[in-house]
Amino acid sequence: MTRVLINGIDGPLGARVATMLSAEPGVTVIGLGRETPPAPVGRAEWLEAVLNGQQLLALLRAEEIEVVVHLAFVGAERPTPSREAAVQQNVLGSMELLGACAAAGVRRVVLRSHTGVYGANPLNPAFIDEARPVAVGALRGLLRDYAEVEQFVAEFAARHPGLAIVSLRLAPLLGGWSPIVRYLTETGPRMLAGFDPCLQLLHFDDAAAGFVRAALADVRGAFNLAADDTVALSQAIRLAGQQPVLVLEPLVRVAQAIGNDAILGHWPYDLSFLRHSCVADTARAKAELGWTPAHSAVAALQALRAGGHAGTDPKTSEARLRAFLARRS
Amino acid sequence: MSDELSPNGLPAQLPATDAPAPALPNGRAPRQPRGRRKATVEASEQAGAPATRGRRKAAPAEPAPTSAPPAEEPSEIAVGGAAPAPLPFWGEQQDGAAPTRGPGATTADSLYEVELEVRNQAEQRSGQAPELGFLAAGALQLVGENLRRMGEQQAARVSELLRGVDLTDYLDPDFWRGIGMVLRYQIDEQVAFVRRRMAGEYTTDAYGMDREVIEVVRPFLRFMYRTWWRVQAEGLEHVPAASRALLVANHSGVLPWDGAMIAVAVAEDHPAGTERIVRSLHLHWFSSLPFIAPALAAMGQVPGLPENAVRLLEHDELVAVFPEGLKGVGKLFKDRYKLARFGRGGFVQAALRARAPIVPVTVVGAEEIYPMLANAEPVAKLLGFPYFPLTPFFPWLGPLGVIPLPTRWSITFCPPLPTDTYGPEAADDPLTVLGLAEQVRETIQATIDARLAERTSVF
């Protein structure tokens, strides 16, 4: 019997991971979140609360949790109200959680992270593997939070060899709300004139499958998760049904210097990610986790254009109706 | 004239007279039926190739037939019906490789026959106004190349537009009116192509390579290769047809035209006809330049980092490196054909790690395309360039100074140096690495010297 705690069950990804994990034989799932889960969570029970470190420790001990899946990052699945509050929960909250896990004798922690932690730099190889150091200094916003947590984890893991820490570095997520979805669906997403970096994406369901595997497999360390295909940024915007708006880099720099960040619209990452590609190598996840992405980036973008998960195509609906009616026979 | 035939029946060396210069017919072997080479190309082309790849092989390069075609040949172009000799070759391919060859190809082949006839007339000065003849042949060639990308309907429309026009009589205003109508129509069709790209319907690999862009650029590069620099490529059999290899070449000529020409040589003249794309490694500094960075990436170039080289080789790609780097391209004219230092042997390490053979390549002729008399370093520093060339023409003539001189080039692919005899630890042994690098450098320098000794004229 494996007892799993999902921190962040109040997000769509947490709910999906809870559904999938609780369907696994011999797994009991408990969820923790600030709100009611937005989607079904399978057989999982959940607690709606904001816990401090001591309270977390009490929960982990009392419930005899063996595996913790930590997905609660502010700004990843709904817009951030304020940066300060986000850093408080994302960085300090993660440190507190890791401390509680080590103290409570949890076997394994699976952390959410981002492929953007490597930074976008012309000196990065075309495919970045997990051995590449995290570029904290070059990042801002949510990516910086992820990178700071990763940096903390590197030291923490060395001091706590009994706790297996896995960090899943996810490519920008498609499906539900995510910073990249907000960018791709606003009118006229901004691009830098003269640059067209390659973009790597990840379907929501593939990300959830990655967390399920990482929670149950005997692995540790970082894993990159991304769809198998890459798209040029301009192509991604067009596949999402938009036309890019080009801005000149010097103008952007001037605008940012005087504090106007609106010039890049809702572009969620640093300016450097509009210049250079950041493509992660997923070979390790495939070899050690046995994970393979089921969705291509192009298909996920086309679904985004169709307005969400279910296509509006009548043939698809007909096929799904038949499959649903046939489920009991 | 060379009578060596490569395995697919085309002269291995380019005839000297394929440039638009007055040529004397001098006992050349009759042209092989067109299409044979095409057929071998299609047979070996991967199924994964995009549908737009069907297009003609370097037409301007093929030697013109020496005997003038009979004057009474019907000048109206045939559509599908009375097909010229090559039809059986692609007839065989029709079921499997249909998407690699557009239905417009039949019309285009007939157009090609007319183009050859016109060019031939102009060369022999048998018709009137030979210069106009070359222009007419060029226009026919452009129409033909465009036609090869098109579908059946469009091809039928084009031949309808050209019906009743005597395509060999370029002095007739009707000829030019017909060509004009066709070109305008073809531009309309290109708009559809652009629209499709606007909807995001194209694919790039993770390095940003876009095969459609390569197809668009290729006719121009082919023109530079065949007509402008009349490149003679030798030893292409040393380049593997499918497996990995690292091409190591000397670098020269201010702008990296030499890399482009090596790529054209492999794509066009390789005996196996597999049209391999050479992935050249460029200085990573170029990846931070607007417009240049995405253009290089689209054409299949990759930032020159060791990880990229090893990864490409491990995926059985053909990788080209220029270990001289900027020291090579930014060489002064007085230092021409003296190899600069070969970096720190990073290319050898990559080849050893991926166990890829090293093929030394020499390019002769590129040193003279922009004779760089001096390097205006203060200007270069001001603009953030690695060097700022002063040639007899640049910057004095402005944009015209960027036109390279039409020197005659030769590219020699030397026998490969195997690396699989070394163990995996050899990549970290400076003695092996630097020794191999020196061996490659000496091979290239010796081949350059030999080629220079053979060369009678720069042009």
Side-chain angles (χ1 to χ4, degrees):
Chain A
M1 206 63 181
T2 313
R3 299 182 61 84
V4 181
L5 175 79
I6 296 178
N7 184 25
I9 202 165
D10 52 343
L13 186 60
R16 180 64 57 91
V17 174
T19 312
M20 291 169 75
L21 261 181
S22 64
E24 296 279 330
V27 176
T28 308
V29 180
I30 290 163
L32 173 63
R34 304 177 161 222
E35 293 166 29
T36 314
V41 292
R43 292 188 288 108
E45 298 171 281
W46 75 87
L47 165 68
E48 259 179 73
V50 180
L51 302 184
N52 63 26
Q54 289 306 320
Q55 290 165 327
L56 258 175
L57 183 56
L59 174 72
L60 293 172
R61 282 200 173 131
E63 289 291 328
E64 296 173 336
I65 299 294
E66 294 159 86
V67 179
V68 172
V69 177
H70 176 45
L71 301 171
F73 276 80
V74 174
E77 288 174 85
R78 62 179 75 110
T80 336
S82 90
R83 271 310 305 153
E84 266 315 299
V87 173
Q88 179 70 29
Q89 185 185 333
N90 291 349
V91 182
L92 303 175
S94 300
M95 287 160 69
E96 229 170 16
L97 177 86
L98 283 165
C101 289
V106 169
R107 272 197 296 124
R108 162 188 318 284
V109 181
V110 184
L111 290 169
R112 164 188 212 153
S113 185
H114 198 285
T115 53
V117 295
Y118 304 112
N121 186 318
L123 289 174
N124 279 347
F127 285 87
I128 305 170
D129 66 17
E130 290 84 354
R132 190 107 192 142
V134 166
V136 179
L139 302 170
R140 288 182 305 132
L142 182 58
L143 284 186
R144 189 179 176 106
D145 295 352
Y146 284 127
E148 284 188 11
V149 172
E150 290 259 11
Q151 216 175 28
F152 174 77
V153 161
E155 263 184 54
F156 190 82
R159 275 187 280 113
H160 295 87
L163 177 66
I165 304 180
V166 182
S167 63
L168 294 189
R169 297 175 178 164
L170 312 179
L173 276 184
L174 286 185
W177 189 95
S178 78
I180 197 79
V181 167
R182 177 168 63 170
Y183 165 76
L184 289 172
T185 49
E186 71 181 342
T187 39
R190 313 290 198 284
M191 282 179 65
L192 285 186
F195 289 100
D196 194 1
C198 287
L199 187 65
Q200 219 176 8
L201 296 163
L202 178 62
H203 194 277
F204 181 77
D205 290 346
D206 287 330
F211 280 101
V212 172
R213 283 181 183 267
L216 303 178
D218 185 22
V219 290
R220 54 175 72 205
F223 293 88
N224 296 328
L225 300 188
D228 279 333
D229 53 340
T230 58
V231 285
L233 181 60
S234 61
Q235 189 189 1
I237 293 170
R238 286 170 179 147
L239 283 172
Q242 307 278 347
Q243 287 303 326
V245 171
L246 300 182
V247 289
L248 292 171
E249 193 178 348
L251 281 181
V252 176
R253 290 199 185 277
V254 169
Q256 287 187 335
I258 59 171
N260 172 12
D261 279 335
I263 189 165
L264 284 181
H266 283 122
W267 175 247
Y269 312 121
D270 299 275
L271 185 60
S272 58
F273 285 84
L274 280 173
R275 292 170 59 114
H276 305 296
S277 311
C278 175
V279 175
D281 187 352
T282 57
R284 183 170 184 222
K286 285 176 182 161
E288 292 182 31
L289 280 183
W291 172 89
T292 38
H295 301 264
S296 74
V298 169
L301 283 164
Q302 280 161 345
L304 182 68
R305 165 146 62 177
H309 281 281
T312 47
D313 174 32
K315 265 189 203 156
T316 322
S317 300
E318 175 72 20
R320 284 184 184 174
L321 171 67
R322 291 195 185 286
F324 184 76
L325 294 179
R327 75 191 184 284
R328 268 188 239 112
S329 58
Chain B
M1 188 47 57
S2 158
D3 278 327
E4 289 172 55
L5 289 183
S6 64
N8 52 15
L10 282 170
Q13 295 194 343
L14 286 179
T17 46
D18 65 332
L24 293 173
N26 50 356
R28 259 176 282 168
R31 202 169 59 89
Q32 296 287 319
R34 187 180 161 68
R36 169 171 308 178
R37 167 142 185 211
K38 185 72 204 170
T40 55
V41 168
E42 278 171 10
S44 49
E45 221 163 41
Q46 306 291 310
T52 46
R53 299 201 68 201
R55 38 135 247 299
R56 82 201 296 190
K57 299 291 291 181
E62 308 216 359
T66 45
S67 54
E72 58 276 5
E73 193 174 271
S75 56
E76 199 175 295
I77 54 175
V79 185
L87 183 57
F89 288 104
W90 10 282
E92 294 163 8
Q93 302 289 332
Q94 213 82 119
D95 44 353
T100 61
R101 195 176 170 87
T106 321
T107 319
D109 276 331
S110 341
L111 265 179
Y112 176 71
E113 300 295 328
V114 183
E115 176 204 326
L116 279 186
E117 187 184 331
V118 170
R119 199 179 286 275
N120 208 48
Q121 276 181 16
E123 275 183 10
Q124 297 185 343
R125 298 186 176 271
S126 59
Q128 294 147 296
E131 294 78 13
L132 198 58
F134 285 122
L135 191 61
L140 285 170
Q141 184 188 335
L142 187 58
V143 171
E145 293 220 339
N146 287 339
L147 213 58
R148 267 164 220 272
R149 302 170 153 271
M150 294 190 172
E152 196 149 7
Q153 266 188 325
Q154 292 129 307
R157 176 102 179 91
V158 167
S159 49
E160 192 184 304
L161 283 172
L162 286 178
R163 200 169 302 279
V165 179
D166 180 358
L167 284 176
T168 51
D169 186 5
Y170 50 81
L171 292 181
D172 183 354
D174 273 352
F175 170 87
W176 293 103
R177 200 169 299 140
I179 293 284
M181 267 161 33
V182 170
L183 281 178
R184 193 180 310 153
Y185 171 71
Q186 287 183 336
I187 287 169
D188 291 346
E189 290 299 320
Q190 295 289 337
V191 172
F193 167 77
V194 171
R195 232 180 245 145
R196 199 166 54 72
R197 290 191 64 97
M198 290 295 273
E201 289 166 23
Y202 53 94
T203 50
T204 53
D205 73 359
Y207 303 92
M209 182 175 83
D210 185 335
R211 280 175 185 271
E212 283 185 349
V213 169
I214 293 180
E215 293 306 324
V216 167
V217 180
R218 213 179 250 185
F220 168 69
L221 290 180
R222 206 182 291 143
F223 167 81
M224 297 307 281
Y225 182 83
R226 303 280 185 196
T227 313
W228 197 256
W229 286 311
R230 293 142 292 154
V231 182
Q232 281 199 11
E234 278 172 45
L236 271 162
E237 67 276 7
H238 297 311
V239 179
S243 57
R244 65 188 72 172
L246 184 69
L247 308 179
V248 182
N250 59 320
H251 213 7
S252 53
V254 181
L255 293 181
W257 282 106
D258 44 2
M261 290 302 111
I262 290 172
V264 178
V266 173
E268 298 281 321
D269 284 344
H270 195 280
T274 38
E275 290 196 27
R276 292 194 75 179
I277 292 174
V278 176
R279 313 293 303 256
S280 299
L281 301 185
H282 62 74
L283 189 70
H284 54 75
W285 175 72
F286 286 108
S287 325
S288 49
L289 298 179
F291 302 102
I292 292 171
L296 287 175
M299 288 193 289
Q301 310 238 333
V302 177
L305 299 166
E307 295 94 333
N308 289 349
V310 173
R311 189 177 183 102
L312 283 167
L313 287 171
E314 280 173 349
H315 284 79
D316 279 329
E317 298 263 11
L318 208 51
V319 179
V321 290
F322 302 90
E324 288 176 275
L326 288 174
K327 300 185 292 298
V329 266
K331 217 180 282 172
L332 292 181
F333 190 65
K334 65 178 170 62
D335 298 325
R336 61 190 183 278
Y337 298 120
K338 277 180 228 148
L339 282 184
R341 187 167 55 82
F342 257 29
R344 286 165 196 80
F347 70 96
V348 176
Q349 282 182 312
L352 286 171
R353 293 224 158 89
R355 302 175 89 83
I358 299 174
V359 181
V361 180
T362 61
V363 181
V364 170
E367 291 274 20
E368 290 94 353
I369 59 174
Y370 302 107
M372 180 161 156
L373 301 177
N375 176 12
E377 269 179 75
V379 184
K381 221 167 255 174
L382 197 68
L383 296 175
F385 291 171
Y387 47 84
F388 190 86
L390 301 176
T391 77
F393 312 103
F394 185 85
W396 332 114
L397 298 185
L400 282 179
V402 184
I403 300 174
L405 293 179
T407 54
R408 181 187 295 276
W409 285 31
S410 76
I411 300 181
T412 313
F413 295 83
C414 303
L417 292 158
T419 52
D420 46 6
T421 49
Y422 301 89
E425 69 289 343
D428 299 311
D429 171 23
L431 283 183
T432 316
V433 170
L434 295 177
L436 264 171
E438 193 50 37
Q439 199 183 337
V440 173
R441 190 173 177 275
E442 276 165 11
T443 311
I444 295 176
Q445 184 70 64
T447 317
I448 288 179
D449 295 343
R451 286 279 167 261
L452 282 176
E454 282 170 23
R455 187 167 75 162
T456 50
S457 155
V458 174
F459 295 98

